[in-house]
Amino acid sequence: MEHRYLPMTAQDKEAMLKTIGVDSIEELFSDIPEKVRFKGEYNLKPAKSESALLKELSRLAAKNADHRNYASFLGAGVYDHYKPVIVDHVISRSEFYTAYTPYQPEISQGELQAIFEFQTMIAELTGMEIANSSMYDGGTALAEAGMLAAGHTKRKKILVSQAVHPESREVVRSYALGQSIEVEEVPLKDGVTDAGALKELLDGDVAAVMIQYPNFFGQVENLKALEPVIHDSGALFVVSANPLALGALEAPGNFGADITVGDAQPFGIPEAFGGPHCGYFAVSKKLMRKVPGRLVGETVDEEGRRGFVLTLQAREQHIRRDKATSNICSNQALNALAASVAMTALGKKGVREMAVQNIAKTRYMKQQLEGAGLSVEFGGAHFNELTVKLGKSVKALNVRLLEQGIIGGYDLGRTYDGLQGHVLVAVTEQRTKEEIDLFVQELAAFVQEKEAAHA
Amino acid sequence: MRKDENQPLIFEVSKEGRIGYSLPVLDVPEVDLEDVLPADLIRAEDPDLPEVAELDIMRHYTALSNRNHGVDSGFYPLGSCTMKYNPKINESVARFPGFADIHPLQDESTVQGAMELMYDLQEHLKEITGMDEVTLQPAAGAHGEWTGLMMIRAFHEANGDFGRTKVIVPDSAHGTNPASATVAGFDTVTVKSDENGLVDLEDLKRVVGPDTAALMLTNPNTLGLFEENILEMAAIIHEVGGKLYYDGANLNAVMNKARPGDMGFDVVHLNLHKTFTGPHGGGGPGSGPVGVKKSLLPYLPKPVLIKTEDGYTFDDDRPDSIGRVKPYYGNFGINVRAYTYIRSMGPDGLKAVSEYAVLNANYMMRRLAPYFDLPYDRHCKHEFVLSGRRQKKLGVRTLDMAKRLLDFGYHPPTIYFPLNVEEGMMIEPTETESKETLDAFCDAMIQIAEEAENSPETVQEAPHTTVISRLDEAQAARKPVLRYQKEKAE
């Protein structure tokens, strides 16, 4: 058959079969026993031409309410942020996106250097000494942090704050199950980790305490107050941080975090229905040889030129096999490149400015909501998310908002028992004053409507 | 090609006062951080990120890209990695706003198009693998392995069977197999290969027992050979109550020829970034869907995407599920690319893919066999493994030959893998390469074999033309420098 991805001609094929010394391609499959041979044809949709497929899939895509046509107030771990246009141009250079893992450094210096720069930027933002080349996402990075901590401390219990993203907590539990690690949750108090309860739960069996910063409700956890409590017990202090927020918030490394993880999605990475995003993993120097995933290090070539290589590979699965510290192989290299380009474009000044804009817009939203008589829960400092008490169905609110061209917030009742009728609202720098005002107006009108209307 | 000066880091071209961004204009009142955050929590010192204008950013990354080799740059016969062409339509489709700019927690009614695509991809993968259900949640192959093993563990434990602590892997297995087994809480047992490069059935019978949880197998295996005793192996494993795990890394060889589901496998993971052209991205992101047979259905990671009369929905009510393995639903963007590819190929196209992948590998193997040692002389599937033993005796190692290939503009094969071949070179051409490309590569290999005899130093000192020569990896590991620092403490 002819296909634009298959260059062999009938003549080529014939010449090649002759060289091999067989009469047909079929002969090359003669080692597959008759009993397991697939007979017949796959029952799949037939091939489509390029134009026809583009048309079909663009129609399918158009069935979704995307954020070019809708203003999104949905966050909960994934955000609609400013993406410098240059990001997509860089990652569309196929020398990057069609390459494999840089195992041949002489022809992979571009990728290796880009990762080295990524490691540096993440280390800078988090205030940690070392960052790796990326993980799948923030949730699995957190789970790997738990495994690292258990291995390092030889303890078998993890405490995770209930203010950590509910789906990340689930992933932590799944990984912990494999390692027979016990997971306990630290309750909340006014929307942040209950420090008193944490103290009660801490004992000599705890390998790690996991805190999200800012937490799932957008509240800024007081890492400074939590750190001594955690370290006094001998547990590792694990922080899951939104790297954008670190433009305004003090770095976890400066509060003594042992491991800081998170997701670099806010830096130039599309929401893409939840992935691929870009986990990051940063540690203090003492944990360097236990970091999961790939690390790029600087070295020199035979003539003394600076160059970069994958290093400390003795930690990794392809060398250590069943003794490896993690099974991760593929990571999120291309998205780490995207995040690097975004962090470069934003730079020292822009990251701070963008973080502060998020705070300013969220504060404006809070004032408007309160001005409209709505109840914004939890009194602490916010980054770019707020919890609003509706006392009514969040789903119904979101249906109404959709009609106004708005993607509404996250229904906290889905995952928090005490928070039925509460919505988590995200306000990024992308939301205009006009959109925020409309959102508040609709929300206020919805809450004031008689319950019966939506019963 | 070589320059004496170092390629600057982005930090080294940074200059205070330059910007590369254009943020929205703040249209609400400004805030003073002191008014909204406790003083302790305000960042005292800005992170030292670069300050660079847009053109200089683009030139920096363009310069880096010029120092990188991708499939679009040239032939990339990296065994076991399936470095085939990455179709451009995939990239366009993944960037449609309706796929790229949607949030995973939007109301399901607003993302039915995305869910339809995921569901249809699952259906296609079920047919291709012969499995009963597929989850798209795992982010990569290794993640899929661990997910599959956790399901196997859940299955055994649900039967009250807590003594199955061992996972068997062949000595030729990829390193992720034993590592995934460890992460899933199992001990690894290695089964030997026989003189034909296949799993040694006698050794397999010796290592199985009531403690066997599973056997992990790649078929064709990492030598590129089809495990023709697969049904016997399945029987041995199933007889002792274990499960059979299929590592789909090499599926590119057998589409429409043999399906894992028909070979007796209970769990399968696929690498959509290999067979199904999600690009490798310099190391990721990938996507590692897992398919299962009926006995493992209850343990699938949740939520499970299902189709109802009212449309598609994520079903979270799965009491026996191993839980969530990843936030949200997997690497959707990669899944969109894989789906686009499958729909571009159709059933006939996928069949042709495997046929040409196998034709190309056998052709190269026969052209190169006179010049190198071929430890397993039989039809290969999509890849084959040569040994550099003959050249090693001349003082030229496989590493040297790999480096010499760089001078010809090729990415070398996978080297020193699998572990059971001395001085191994694992070559996987894929189906998207032309005969001219295969011939030119073979000619280069033959020239290198001749150089090994006549002018070994040419090979030993390679590469000669790359932007950088061989790097001191020992120093990198001994004195790790893992980030840039303005004032180096040395």
Side-chain angles (χ1 to χ4, degrees):
Chain A
M1 72 174 288
E2 288 178 343
H3 194 285
R4 66 192 188 285
Y5 306 154
L6 303 172
M8 287 307 162
T9 66
Q11 202 188 354
D12 292 337
K13 188 173 128 182
E14 207 176 314
M16 291 164 76
L17 289 172
K18 204 172 158 200
T19 303
I20 300 167
V22 293
D23 293 328
S24 68
I25 290 181
E26 208 42 52
E27 268 185 59
L28 300 173
F29 290 93
S30 58
D31 52 349
I32 302 181
E34 199 52 28
K35 272 189 178 164
V36 301
R37 276 301 293 264
F38 181 68
K39 308 201 177 71
E41 304 295 329
Y42 281 154
N43 180 20
L44 301 176
K45 289 181 178 167
K48 267 203 170 171
S49 72
E50 194 162 52
S51 322
L53 188 57
L54 274 176
K55 193 184 258 180
E56 181 194 319
L57 295 178
S58 66
R59 281 186 185 152
L60 192 60
K63 284 188 186 174
N64 304 320
D66 68 68
H67 303 167
R68 297 203 190 169
N69 292 305
Y70 290 81
S72 172
F73 287 87
L74 185 54
V78 180
Y79 304 90
D80 175 24
H81 281 298
Y82 160 56
K83 287 184 276 297
V85 168
I86 191 174
V87 172
D88 201 41
H89 285 265
V90 172
I91 66 166
S92 296
R93 290 196 63 91
S94 66
E95 299 86 346
F96 287 127
Y97 83 78
T98 71
Y100 188 62
T101 306
Y103 286 131
Q104 292 292 337
E106 296 88 348
I107 53 165
S108 310
Q109 282 302 299
E111 177 70 33
L112 287 160
Q113 181 171 330
I115 295 174
F116 183 80
E117 292 174 358
F118 173 79
Q119 291 175 179
T120 304
M121 291 182 208
I122 293 296
E124 273 294 327
L125 269 170
T126 56
M128 305 299 290
E129 288 164 304
I130 288 155
N132 81 355
S133 64
S134 73
M135 306 293 284
Y136 305 138
D137 52 55
T140 55
L142 187 64
E144 292 258 10
M147 294 200 298
L148 189 165
H152 180 73
T153 59
K154 311 235 180 327
R155 296 176 178 190
K156 282 287 192 187
K157 196 199 290 182
I158 289 169
L159 299 183
V160 54
S161 165
Q162 275 178 357
V164 168
H165 195 302
E167 297 198 3
S168 296
R169 275 184 279 140
E170 286 182 51
V171 177
V172 168
R173 281 187 184 280
S174 304
Y175 274 75
L177 196 67
Q179 296 284 294
S180 305
I181 296 167
E182 189 188 341
V183 180
E184 268 193 77
E185 299 200 342
V186 187
L188 301 171
K189 192 175 181 184
D190 197 27
V192 294
T193 310
D194 183 340
L198 171 61
K199 210 166 186 171
E200 300 268 299
L201 287 167
L202 274 167
D203 58 32
D205 297 332
V206 177
V209 178
M210 299 175 166
I211 306 290
Q212 187 173 318
Y213 178 71
N215 71 22
F216 187 66
F217 307 103
Q219 299 249 41
V220 183
E221 295 271 1
N222 191 339
L223 299 187
K224 190 176 185 181
L226 294 169
E227 183 271 335
V229 182
I230 295 165
H231 278 156
D232 280 352
S233 74
L236 295 189
F237 184 17
V238 177
V239 178
S240 172
N242 176 338
L244 172 64
L246 301 182
L249 302 180
E250 190 53 273
N254 293 340
F255 292 122
D258 301 290
I259 306 174
T260 301
V261 296
D263 203 304
Q265 185 269 327
F267 291 130
I269 298 172
E271 295 162 84
F273 206 42
H277 295 161
C278 178
Y280 72 82
F281 200 104
V283 296
S284 59
K285 202 161 187 183
K286 66 170 188 277
L287 299 174
M288 176 173 74
R289 286 175 199 278
K290 293 178 177 170
V291 174
R294 298 174 187 139
L295 288 168
V296 172
E298 184 185 316
T299 186
V300 291
D301 77 353
E302 288 161 343
E303 285 92 52
R305 275 177 297 249
R306 177 172 67 194
F308 301 91
V309 290
L310 292 172
T311 193
L312 302 178
Q313 296 189 69
R315 301 162 296 114
E316 290 187 67
Q317 46 73 29
H318 65 282
I319 307 287
R320 270 213 122 179
R321 299 175 78 85
D322 61 327
K323 303 284 188 299
T325 52
S326 161
N327 71 333
I328 191 167
C329 180
S330 281
N331 55 21
Q332 305 287 115
L334 193 69
N335 285 5
L337 176 65
S340 292
V341 181
M343 286 188 275
T344 298
L346 286 164
K348 189 176 198 166
K349 190 156 164 274
V351 169
R352 185 180 187 91
E353 192 179 328
M354 187 157 142
V356 174
Q357 278 202 7
N358 277 258
I359 293 172
K361 295 221 158 164
T362 305
R363 183 177 172 81
Y364 175 76
M365 164 78 98
K366 183 169 188 251
Q367 288 166 341
Q368 298 309 109
L369 287 167
E370 286 172 344
L374 291 155
S375 170
V376 177
E377 301 286 276
F378 314 134
H382 296 277
F383 179 56
N384 65 0
E385 283 174 296
L386 296 168
T387 301
V388 187
K389 183 176 177 182
L390 301 177
K392 295 171 95 171
S393 155
V394 176
K395 198 174 169 71
L397 169 69
N398 286 346
V399 168
R400 179 191 181 117
L401 289 170
L402 197 67
E403 288 163 12
Q404 299 295 321
I406 291 173
I407 304 284
Y410 175 79
D411 182 354
L412 285 165
R414 279 175 63 167
T415 38
Y416 288 91
D417 272 346
L419 293 175
Q420 273 76 21
H422 287 66
V423 63
L424 182 67
V425 179
V427 196
T428 72
E429 76 291 341
Q430 295 282 78
R431 299 287 69 79
T432 63
K433 176 174 177 295
E434 205 179 14
E435 289 165 352
I436 299 170
D437 290 344
L438 175 63
F439 182 89
V440 172
Q441 183 193 314
E442 287 298 318
L443 205 146
F446 173 77
V447 171
Q448 279 151 23
E449 268 171 26
K450 287 219 164 60
E451 195 64 45
H454 283 284
Chain B
M1 217 171 205
R2 275 189 194 154
K3 293 185 293 188
D4 283 334
E5 67 271 28
N6 291 330
Q7 175 67 30
L9 291 161
I10 192 73
F11 308 99
E12 293 166 341
V13 297
S14 168
K15 191 169 189 179
E16 199 180 329
R18 288 201 180 122
I19 66 158
Y21 64 92
S22 166
L23 277 168
V25 173
L26 190 66
D27 54 2
V28 302
E30 284 184 29
V31 288
D32 237 330
L33 288 185
E34 285 76 15
D35 296 339
V36 292
L37 291 174
D40 283 347
L41 300 179
I42 299 172
R43 183 146 195 150
E45 202 182 317
D46 282 335
D48 202 3
L49 295 174
E51 296 172 275
V52 191
E54 191 166 312
L55 171 60
D56 291 323
I57 299 173
M58 201 62 217
R59 284 204 179 132
H60 174 74
Y61 285 106
T62 302
L64 293 189
S65 73
N66 288 336
R67 296 162 73 84
N68 223 50
H69 180 97
V71 172
D72 288 359
S73 319
F75 190 39
Y76 212 128
L78 189 64
S80 145
C81 300
T82 313
M83 301 301 291
K84 59 168 79 174
Y85 174 60
N86 299 130
K88 304 312 160 196
I89 183 179
N90 298 359
E91 298 302 311
S92 299
V93 172
R95 285 168 170 81
F96 287 160
F99 294 141
D101 300 325
I102 53 173
H103 192 290
L105 300 171
Q106 276 178 228
D107 192 89
E108 288 177 356
S109 64
T110 67
V111 285
Q112 286 293 302
M115 294 168 81
E116 183 180 331
L117 184 147
M118 289 174 64
Y119 189 85
D120 205 34
L121 175 59
Q122 289 178 186
E123 291 297 302
H124 278 72
L125 296 177
K126 278 159 66 175
E127 173 69 8
I128 291 168
T129 56
M131 304 305 280
D132 293 323
E133 196 53 81
V134 165
T135 172
L136 301 176
Q137 220 180 95
H143 201 214
E145 290 174 19
W146 167 76
T147 301
L149 291 171
M150 288 300 289
M151 281 191 264
I152 290 171
R153 179 172 161 162
F155 168 85
H156 291 313
E157 291 184 358
N159 291 335
D161 204 347
F162 292 88
R164 295 191 179 269
T165 55
K166 298 207 166 105
V167 167
I168 303 168
V169 299
D171 54 8
S172 62
H174 190 272
T176 52
N177 288 176
S180 298
T182 300
V183 177
F186 293 107
D187 297 325
T188 304
V189 180
T190 303
V191 60
K192 280 188 271 187
S193 302
D194 64 16
E195 66 283 2
N196 297 317
L198 305 177
V199 169
D200 184 329
L201 285 185
E202 289 314 308
D203 198 48
L204 182 63
K205 283 180 196 153
R206 193 180 60 76
V207 297
V208 295
D211 58 356
T212 301
L215 166 66
M216 297 181 86
L217 208 63
T218 313
N219 198 14
N221 67 22
T222 55
L223 293 164
L225 306 177
F226 195 86
E227 295 281 357
E228 52 193 22
N229 300 319
I230 181 61
L231 290 176
E232 289 80 355
M233 290 156 77
I236 292 168
I237 293 300
H238 288 150
E239 215 152 275
V240 297
K243 292 286 183 192
L244 198 57
Y245 184 99
Y246 185 87
D247 179 332
N250 295 342
L251 190 77
N252 208 47
V254 290
M255 284 189 289
N256 217 294
K257 299 294 175 192
R259 306 192 304 176
D262 303 331
M263 297 181 215
F265 286 94
D266 304 288
V267 192
V268 171
H269 91 256
L270 301 175
N271 303 72
L272 295 190
H273 45 291
K274 294 183 179 176
T275 310
F276 299 101
T277 69
H280 284 76
S287 178
V290 169
V292 294
K293 281 294 182 67
K294 281 210 172 61
S295 70
L296 293 163
L297 282 180
Y299 313 107
L300 281 169
K302 61 183 182 178
V304 176
L305 175 59
I306 56 171
K307 188 178 181 179
T308 70
E309 276 177 20
D310 303 325
Y312 300 93
T313 187
F314 288 109
D315 179 14
D316 233 328
D317 186 20
R318 299 273 168 155
D320 297 321
S321 164
I322 58 163
R324 186 180 274 286
V325 301
K326 186 185 184 318
Y328 319 116
Y329 326 111
N331 281 342
F332 176 74
I334 304 302
N335 298 337
V336 170
R337 289 170 170 89
Y339 182 71
T340 305
Y341 173 70
I342 292 171
R343 298 293 313 280
S344 300
M345 299 313 295
D348 299 339
L350 292 177
K351 181 179 177 182
V353 162
S354 288
E355 292 184 346
Y356 285 121
V358 170
L359 175 72
N360 290 2
N362 278 282
Y363 174 70
M364 291 179 77
M365 182 173 79
R366 289 304 158 204
R367 273 211 62 193
L368 294 173
Y371 306 91
F372 299 89
D373 280 10
L374 179 64
Y376 303 101
D377 188 358
R378 44 181 288 186
H379 294 324
C380 64
K381 294 277 91 53
H382 64 305
E383 66 190 4
F384 60 100
V385 181
L386 296 175
S387 166
R389 270 182 304 229
R390 200 185 305 176
Q391 287 74 25
K392 192 185 179 186
K393 285 182 197 135
L394 304 166
V396 172
R397 293 172 307 153
T398 281
L399 179 72
D400 300 323
M401 294 193 279
K403 297 301 181 194
R404 181 69 180 128
L405 277 169
L406 302 177
D407 290 329
F408 293 84
Y410 298 120
H411 193 288
T414 297
I415 52 173
Y416 300 103
F417 185 80
L419 307 176
N420 51 349
V421 174
E422 187 191 351
E423 296 288 312
M425 284 178 276
M426 186 189 207
I427 300 175
E428 180 182 10
T430 84
E431 74 285 357
T432 57
E433 299 295 339
S434 68
K435 179 169 179 291
E436 289 83 347
T437 301
L438 306 183
D439 281 331
F441 179 83
C442 289
D443 292 344
M445 287 286 286
I446 292 165
Q447 182 183 326
I448 293 169
E450 284 162 2
E451 286 172 352
E453 290 189 29
N454 305 323
S455 55
E457 64 290 345
T458 314
V459 188
Q460 289 155 341
E461 289 163 15
H464 304 279
T465 59
T466 49
V467 295
I468 212 154
S469 59
R470 289 194 203 186
L471 288 152
D472 189 343
E473 300 195 14
Q475 179 187 318
R478 205 169 46 240
K479 281 180 65 182
V481 178
L482 305 175
R483 55 163 298 183
Y484 167 77
Q485 244 150 354
K486 253 187 194 145
E487 295 94 4
K488 277 190 186 166
E490 287 199 21

